[in-house]
């Protein structure tokens, strides 16, 4: 049965005003619908992660800075088709498959994304602003003849996502200075020769406490464990199982309102990749490219969205971390494309 996706992601469904509380929070119509259709509820008797007994440094709640105007892109750089359109594209229902030629393009886009992310990570230091990181990322992508995929995606105003502390994802770069002890996810996507490469990492800013470091380490391990389970013929549901098992073992919880996705000529397509335990259908096929991008939280997995329509934060202010790779399914396994 066809499942209609109301907006770009499950990732980012339209927010609505919740009765009484007077603030925005994430509405998950598609996810809820998909669960009903696929009977995911039964498999979803997950346990909530618990706050670790290690000391988590008290951080001030995330504050917003000023967002500078979008950076210009030279005319010779090809823009993806969604740029200039206000609506967030729907998740395309086609699964993106590759032959020898398109794999070469995919690899080039993914390698560029990985190099840009590595460079962005070197800039993470106390007093640096996320706007400065955005500028550096934008320049490096443009200089490589590519387009920064987030810029203009559903009206996203900057070239990269920077998600600090309790921000789960889709943070908008602004004038806020990074502080000693912050954690920050930088999510880079580039559009090169008609192909998107999508990757993110959570970086440590200055001296970060051990509990927060553990969250970051375990999140990366979850992603890598899921990737090592992938190959032609493997069920997609194995991804959620691998991730949940490892996260729960460490007392962390897996965020459900954001998903991985097919990636290639189109930024977001099927297959939708659930990171939580699920009983969804389908097996991986050689030649597919998709992302695995789990978000783990130290506490709540529910999110509030800021009224900028993008910044998704944990409802209880607990810390969240995310890692993301674009992978290619092969006969014998999965190749990580977003590596330098
Ligand atoms: N890179 C994000 C992902 O992993 C999507 C960012 S879209 C933006 O799918 F508009 F928020 F930038
Ligand atoms: Co992605
Ligand atoms: Co991404």
């Amino acid at each position: 049965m066809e499942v209609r996706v109301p907006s770009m992601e499950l990732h980012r469904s339209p927010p609505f005003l919740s009765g009484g509380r007077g603030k925005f929070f994430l509405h998950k119509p598609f996810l809820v619908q998909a669960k009903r259709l696929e009977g995911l509820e039964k498999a979803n008797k997950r346990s909530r992660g618990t706050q670790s007994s290690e000391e988590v440094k008290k951080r001030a709640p995330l504050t917003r800075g000023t967002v500078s105007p979008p950076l210009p892109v030279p005319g010779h750089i090809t823009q993806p088709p969604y740029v200039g359109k206000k609506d967030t594209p729907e998740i395309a229902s086609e699964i993106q498959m590759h032959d020898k030629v398109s794999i070469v393009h995919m690899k080039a886009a993914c390698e560029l994304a990985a190099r840009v992310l590595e460079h962005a990570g070197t800039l993470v230091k106390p007093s640096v602003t996320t706007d400065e990181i955005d500028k550096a990322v934008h320049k490096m992508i443009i200089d490589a003849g590519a387009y920064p995929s987030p810029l203009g995606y559903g009206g996203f105003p900057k070239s990269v996502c920077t998600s600090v502390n309790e921000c789960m994802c889709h943070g908008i770069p602004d004038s806020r200075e990074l502080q000693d002890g912050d954690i920050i996810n930088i999510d880079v996507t580039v559009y090169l020769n008609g192909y998107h490469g999508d990757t993110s990492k959570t970086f440590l800013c200055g001296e970060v406490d051990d509990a927060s470091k553990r969250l970051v380490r375990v999140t990366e391990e979850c992603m890598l464990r899921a990737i090592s389970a992938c190959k032609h013929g493997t069920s997609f549901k194995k991804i959620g199982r691998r991730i949940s098992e490892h996260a729960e073992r460490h007392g962390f919880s897996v965020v459900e309102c954001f998903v991985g996705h097919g990636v290639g000529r189109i930024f977001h397509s099927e297959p939708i990749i659930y990171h939580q335990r699920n009983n969804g259908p389908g097996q991986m096929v050689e030649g597919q490219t998709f992302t695995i991008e789990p978000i783990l939280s130290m506490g709540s997995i529910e999110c509030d969205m800021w009224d900028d329509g993008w910044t998704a934060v944990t409802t209880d202010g607990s810390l969240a971390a995310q890692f993301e790779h674009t992978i290619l399914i092969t006969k014998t396994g999965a190749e990580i494309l977003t590596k330098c």
Side-chain angles (χ1 to χ4, degrees):
M1 183 192 290
E2 195 197 339
V3 179
R4 291 278 300 169
V5 180
S7 71
M8 152 191 162
E9 332 147 34
L10 297 212
H11 260 154
R12 180 182 175 260
S13 322
F16 66 88
L17 213 48
S18 70
R21 291 194 298 152
K23 61 176 178 175
F24 288 96
F25 75 98
L26 256 201
H27 177 39
K28 293 174 277 175
F30 170 73
L31 202 65
V32 171
Q33 187 187 14
K35 280 182 181 173
R36 253 189 247 118
L37 289 170
E38 296 162 8
L40 296 182
E41 301 99 321
K42 274 183 266 151
N44 248 346
K45 293 205 186 69
R46 64 197 174 270
S47 60
R48 287 266 176 278
T50 48
Q51 196 89 29
S52 107
S53 53
E54 287 166 285
E55 281 286 305
V56 184
K57 188 185 140 210
K58 273 259 178 302
R59 292 169 172 81
L62 185 60
T63 53
R64 26 185 128 192
T66 311
V67 180
S68 63
L71 296 170
V73 178
H76 68 271
I77 288 175
T78 308
Q79 306 191 341
Y82 52 76
V83 175
K85 306 206 169 93
K86 239 190 101 227
D87 290 339
T88 305
E90 295 190 346
I91 293 185
S93 55
E94 67 197 72
I95 289 187
Q96 305 188 67
M97 302 286 292
H98 295 280
D99 56 23
K100 281 213 170 71
V101 175
S102 64
I103 283 175
V104 172
H105 289 305
M106 231 6 234
K107 285 189 174 167
C110 288
E111 274 172 36
L112 174 61
R115 279 199 295 115
V116 172
L117 179 60
E118 189 181 70
H119 176 63
T122 66
L123 305 176
V124 172
K125 283 180 189 72
S127 88
V128 169
T129 68
T130 47
D131 191 53
E132 289 171 274
I133 295 172
D134 180 74
K135 285 202 168 69
V137 165
H138 183 87
K139 180 171 188 318
M140 194 169 165
I141 295 174
I142 300 297
D143 287 350
Y147 184 91
S149 308
L151 186 63
Y153 185 93
F156 192 83
K158 303 303 291 178
S159 303
V160 66
C161 298
T162 51
S163 303
V164 174
N165 296 342
E166 67 265 37
C167 180
M168 289 175 170
C169 61
H170 303 164
I172 300 174
D174 66 15
S175 61
R176 179 189 179 276
E177 291 182 359
L178 290 175
Q179 290 163 24
D180 189 52
D182 280 350
I183 63 168
I184 173 177
N185 174 278
I186 303 179
D187 190 341
V188 172
T189 314
V190 307
Y191 184 65
L192 180 65
N193 294 322
Y195 291 80
H196 296 273
D198 189 5
T199 183
S200 85
K201 268 185 193 181
T202 299
F203 297 96
L204 309 176
C205 179
E207 284 298 309
V208 173
D209 62 79
D210 287 346
S212 308
K213 276 193 205 155
R214 203 164 59 84
L215 173 75
V216 172
R217 175 175 56 78
V218 171
T219 307
E220 183 169 29
E221 287 168 359
C222 282
M223 175 192 64
L224 293 173
R225 278 169 185 251
I227 293 172
S228 54
C230 293
K231 71 174 200 176
H232 179 84
T234 300
S235 302
F236 284 109
K237 62 183 179 220
K238 202 161 180 185
I239 293 173
R241 199 191 319 143
R242 283 272 179 124
I243 291 170
S244 306
E245 278 170 3
H246 194 58
E248 286 162 12
R249 206 178 293 138
H250 289 271
F252 299 130
S253 36
V254 181
V255 168
E256 301 182 5
C257 44
F258 298 96
V259 294
H261 51 91
V263 60
R265 282 189 195 82
I266 302 167
F267 194 171
H268 297 101
S269 78
E270 300 266 0
I272 286 164
I273 305 297
Y274 297 98
H275 304 113
Q276 74 272 26
R277 268 201 190 74
N278 69 84
N279 205 11
Q283 281 98 34
M284 302 166 197
V285 175
E286 184 184 5
Q288 278 176 348
T289 47
F290 56 85
T291 71
I292 298 183
E293 47 182 300
I295 304 172
L296 266 56
S297 163
M298 281 197 181
S300 173
I301 61 166
E302 305 303 327
C303 59
D304 281 329
M305 198 196 283
W306 285 5
D307 58 12
D308 59 21
W310 290 101
T311 311
V313 296
T314 55
T315 49
D316 61 356
S318 53
L319 224 55
Q322 182 178 31
F323 281 80
E324 173 176 25
H325 271 311
T326 299
I327 63 170
L328 167 70
I329 298 303
T330 68
K331 271 242 145 46
T332 53
E335 190 178 341
I336 295 176
L337 299 184
T338 36
K339 58 180 196 287
C340 295

